[in-house]
Amino acid sequence: MPTFASPRRAPALLLCGALLALTATPALAAPGAPADAARPAPEPRSQPVFADEPVRETVWVDTGLDGDGDGTTDRVAADIARPRTDAPTPVIMDASPYYSCCGRGNENELKTYDDEGRPVGFPLFYDNYFVPRGYSTVLVDLAGTNRAQGCADVGGASDVTSAKAVIDWLNGRAKGYDAATGGAEVGAGWSTGDVGMIGKSYDGTIANGVAATGVEGLRTIVPIGAISSWYDYYRSDGVSFGADPSGLAETVEDGGRPECAAVKQRLDEGAPANGDVTPLWTERDHVPDAANVTASVFAVHGLNDLNVKTIQFGQWWDALAAHDVPRKVWLSQTGHVDPFDFRRAEWVDTLHRWFDHALLGMDNGIDAEPAASVERAPDEWSDEPSWSGETAAPTALHPVPGETDGLGGLTSAPAPADARASFTDDPRQDEYAWAQQPDQASPARSLFTSAPLQEDLRLAGTGSISVTASPSTSSAHLSAVLVDYGPATTRDHLGDGEGIRTLETESCWGESRDGDDACYRDTEATTADVDYRIVSRGWADLANHESLEQESPLTPGDPHEMTFRLSTADHVIPAGHRLGLIIAGTDGAFITAPDEPGRVDLDLAGTAVSLPIVGGSGAAVKAGLDAPATGTAAVRPERAPARPEIHLNGGSFTG
């Protein structure tokens, strides 16, 4: 993994000495040894030396865009909290659409202002913790939200430019003013121009998008549960999750802005319900632009995030790795949860050192530490030098028929040429219903299971499935689900807290100020004892078998070949467990049904799943995947939500 680039210019704070205070505690020397012999090298760390009330102000930055069509360019509001010092400081930025509509963090904090409109309450702990340590924090209202002008365009140019323009202003390349309209021009002489962007969900998505522009001055991003492609948030290989970007735009605009009706119309026109990829979606796909990224990336994602699904992390990480972008990752067992709420003390410490290195240029060794940390069991983490998803080998496994129709084996050996299976699409069912009773056939799915594994088998990365399917009607949706059959204790990611419980106690992180509390309610892991776990899933519209940009007519009875993606995984299937593959129709927990659900026949000889197995085919053989088997022991059901919730903002948009 490459080393991290130093900031563009050394901040003056480093020269004053105040932030070079060392926090490592010297070890006691052995009797008779020189006093310095047993002392470890101290780790440089920024210290909370700025105790005065921060400067709090708002600057309205001109984006150069006219999203609301009023004939003047839009200004976005950048609320700033910065130390009282003459030395220039780096910036930690969170650009968000949620500062007035929906809130940030586990406690849904909103921005607050005094009677004269000056910012007082800054959501999250960033200003409380980092401003005393010599950083400035800038919370940006995206265009069309809170106090910003313009219109929300959900991942488009307006969103990305909202934050990019502020970075340009911090570096003297854009204009800022002391009022939303008119006003005097103001500069950012207090800033070094070096910026680190951070944020969960929509906010982290903006960080990804801005990094993909290659804007000068952005030194690092910390995307948490973030989107890399808006298509894959609302659609998947031709199918729809049932929600649309115009609804989210209306929400973040606090119910909608009449002057933004034309923008919402363009969103609706560019996001057809049939799931085709259009120019609107292409514009909102940051993955192809990973080559532009010059910032380091510290990504965090929940492996059980059913909101911003793991494909968002996996495809972004793969693109970053292909371009040798400096990177680090935490993967948790939670759902859509911030690391502040599942690994708080370690998170604050790691984030502190990350920003010290990326924005202050401190040689604290974080770039030489393990680049990946993965939660294997609740609160049990495993570190590795680099994420194994980069080296796992695509390995083909094949569904083969069994003695009972609808139940078969999963093996490294292909199925016979005449092998067939079938299912009838029942949109009332979903992956949780399909995964239950694996020893019993169901007309709604075809299930293929391996023999009990002889050794642990790790999947790490993004897989895919190729099918040869013949529908009985002119429309067909497909789902594929990977299941680990065997007992385990895991985070209860399907519970209300998606793997955490909020407690009554509080802990404080930084300095509290009047109107801006640094204390947050503690959390703990919630767990569930299960007999199976869904490891990965994927969905597709068979009508898009030739192209995701254009549906092709399906002729009932004719076979069609299609390959579609499975969600990114990092999961160890223990020895003694079985690996299951389910192929079915409409997954009622996630996707919409086709116009005419019907029967689908599978040519098993033309069907295979490609899995990212650490150790490749050799590991698969050692685990016993060359020995087909059918049937598994009965299992207790994993709890399932009635419908998934799309809640980028902490509110709910039922999909």
Side-chain angles (χ1 to χ4, degrees):
M1 185 172 140
T3 57
F4 296 90
S6 296
R8 174 171 46 83
R9 57 182 182 272
L13 282 172
L14 289 178
L15 303 179
C16 73
L19 292 184
L20 286 180
L22 304 179
T23 59
T25 302
L28 294 177
D36 293 335
R39 292 179 181 173
E43 175 193 304
R45 185 177 297 227
S46 58
Q47 296 297 301
V49 298
F50 297 99
D52 293 338
E53 176 69 23
V55 176
R56 295 181 186 269
E57 60 187 339
T58 302
V59 173
W60 277 266
V61 177
D62 194 326
T63 66
L65 303 177
D66 181 14
D68 52 17
D70 65 356
T72 60
T73 53
D74 303 323
R75 296 180 184 179
V76 295
D79 291 320
I80 300 163
R82 56 186 176 88
R84 294 186 181 274
T85 174
D86 293 331
T89 59
V91 168
I92 296 171
M93 177 188 294
D94 189 339
S96 176
Y98 295 141
Y99 286 130
S100 65
C101 75
C102 314
R104 306 311 298 129
N106 192 38
E107 298 177 31
N108 296 323
E109 290 186 298
L110 303 172
K111 283 183 178 178
T112 62
Y113 306 88
D114 65 17
D115 293 340
E116 297 182 8
R118 291 174 299 207
V120 176
F122 282 52
L124 307 175
F125 75 101
Y126 305 137
D127 66 307
N128 309 95
Y129 186 85
F130 285 106
V131 171
R133 288 167 169 79
Y135 294 86
S136 295
T137 56
V138 178
L139 306 188
V140 181
D141 295 332
L142 297 188
T145 72
N146 198 23
R147 300 200 296 176
Q149 299 169 348
C151 299
D153 66 354
V154 189
S158 179
D159 270 6
V160 174
T161 303
S162 295
K164 179 181 179 293
V166 177
I167 297 176
D168 285 334
W169 171 70
L170 291 166
N171 284 273
R173 300 187 297 267
K175 293 184 177 181
Y177 300 86
D178 61 5
T181 57
E185 187 173 341
V186 294
W190 48 266
S191 169
T192 65
D194 295 312
V195 179
M197 291 188 69
I198 188 171
K200 177 192 169 195
S201 205
Y202 201 137
D203 305 14
T205 303
I206 299 302
N208 284 341
V210 174
T213 71
V215 61
E216 183 182 352
L218 182 61
R219 298 297 163 203
T220 191
I221 63 171
V222 184
I224 302 165
I227 293 168
S228 57
S229 164
W230 281 93
Y231 175 84
D232 292 311
Y233 184 74
Y234 286 105
R235 308 287 188 262
S236 177
D237 290 335
V239 296
S240 171
F241 294 135
D244 294 294
S246 61
L248 183 54
E250 184 169 349
T251 296
V252 300
E253 291 173 354
D254 288 317
R257 301 186 179 192
E259 65 272 23
C260 296
V263 175
K264 295 184 184 64
Q265 182 177 352
R266 288 195 293 270
L267 289 174
D268 286 336
E269 292 171 351
N274 67 0
D276 286 354
V277 174
T278 65
L280 178 140
W281 297 124
T282 302
E283 177 192 1
R284 289 159 173 78
D285 184 359
H286 306 310
V287 178
D289 296 323
N292 298 331
V293 176
T294 59
S296 61
V297 179
F298 184 0
V300 181
H301 217 103
L303 290 167
N304 292 303
D305 192 337
L306 302 181
N307 179 354
V308 179
K309 300 170 184 65
T310 53
I311 190 72
Q312 302 283 357
F313 154 74
Q315 61 193 359
W316 184 234
W317 185 271
D318 289 346
L320 296 173
H323 296 289
D324 210 24
V325 174
R327 57 203 178 276
K328 183 178 180 69
V329 64
W330 280 13
L331 298 173
S332 75
Q333 283 194 348
T334 66
H336 199 56
V337 180
D338 194 293
F340 187 74
D341 296 313
F342 64 69
R343 201 183 186 189
R344 184 168 298 179
E346 295 87 345
W347 173 244
V348 175
D349 177 74
T350 305
L351 189 64
H352 182 181
R353 295 187 301 114
W354 182 266
F355 282 143
D356 276 357
H357 185 81
L359 299 179
L360 292 176
M362 289 187 176
D363 185 12
N364 56 18
I366 195 167
D367 54 329
E369 295 175 2
S373 189
V374 184
E375 189 178 23
R376 292 292 172 212
D379 290 326
E380 296 180 12
W381 293 79
S382 175
D383 295 339
E384 54 187 0
S386 60
W387 186 48
S388 290
E390 297 180 19
T391 57
T395 304
L397 297 179
H398 303 269
V400 297
E403 296 179 358
T404 303
D405 289 344
L407 298 177
L410 187 64
T411 176
S412 58
D418 59 350
R420 298 289 186 272
S422 66
F423 58 85
T424 299
D425 190 352
D426 182 355
R428 297 169 300 178
Q429 295 198 29
D430 57 32
E431 60 182 38
Y432 305 100
W434 300 333
Q436 296 175 35
Q437 299 178 318
D439 54 344
Q440 297 183 23
S442 166
R445 48 93 161 131
S446 292
L447 171 62
F448 309 92
T449 54
S450 72
L453 299 187
Q454 298 171 14
E455 294 185 4
D456 292 355
L457 186 74
R458 181 180 173 190
L459 308 181
T462 306
S464 64
I465 184 169
S466 298
V467 299
T468 300
S470 302
S472 65
T473 64
S474 60
S475 60
H477 290 174
L478 301 174
S479 299
V481 184
L482 290 177
V483 187
D484 171 359
Y485 283 108
T489 298
T490 187
R491 280 193 187 253
D492 185 14
H493 67 277
L494 294 176
D496 291 340
E498 299 188 53
I500 65 165
R501 177 185 296 110
T502 303
L503 306 176
E504 296 300 321
T505 59
E506 284 190 337
S507 56
C508 303
W509 303 87
E511 299 292 332
S512 292
R513 309 287 184 181
D514 289 343
D516 191 42
D517 188 6
C519 303
Y520 293 86
R521 292 174 66 181
D522 297 317
T523 64
E524 65 180 5
T526 58
T527 62
D529 294 327
V530 298
D531 279 328
Y532 73 85
R533 286 173 286 177
I534 293 176
V535 176
S536 181
R537 69 271 284 169
W539 312 271
D541 184 346
L542 190 59
N544 288 100
H545 64 280
E546 292 184 354
S547 169
L548 292 181
E549 286 75 30
Q550 180 67 49
E551 290 184 339
S552 300
L554 297 179
T555 302
D558 285 358
H560 303 279
E561 298 178 357
M562 186 174 188
T563 297
F564 58 97
R565 300 162 300 164
L566 301 176
S567 56
T568 306
D570 192 326
H571 183 79
V572 176
I573 305 169
H577 287 207
R578 295 175 184 257
L579 174 61
L581 169 65
I582 296 169
I583 305 176
T586 302
D587 184 342
F590 294 98
I591 66 173
T592 58
D595 292 337
E596 298 179 276
R599 175 187 168 102
V600 176
D601 294 320
L602 298 172
D603 176 356
L604 295 185
T607 299
V609 61
S610 176
L611 300 183
I613 295 178
V614 177
S617 58
V621 171
K622 289 181 180 179
L625 285 172
D626 54 344
T630 61
T632 69
V635 301
R636 295 191 301 271
E638 183 179 23
R639 286 189 294 110
R643 299 283 286 169
E645 290 187 339
I646 300 172
H647 48 87
L648 282 173
N649 56 7
S652 296
F653 303 89
T654 301

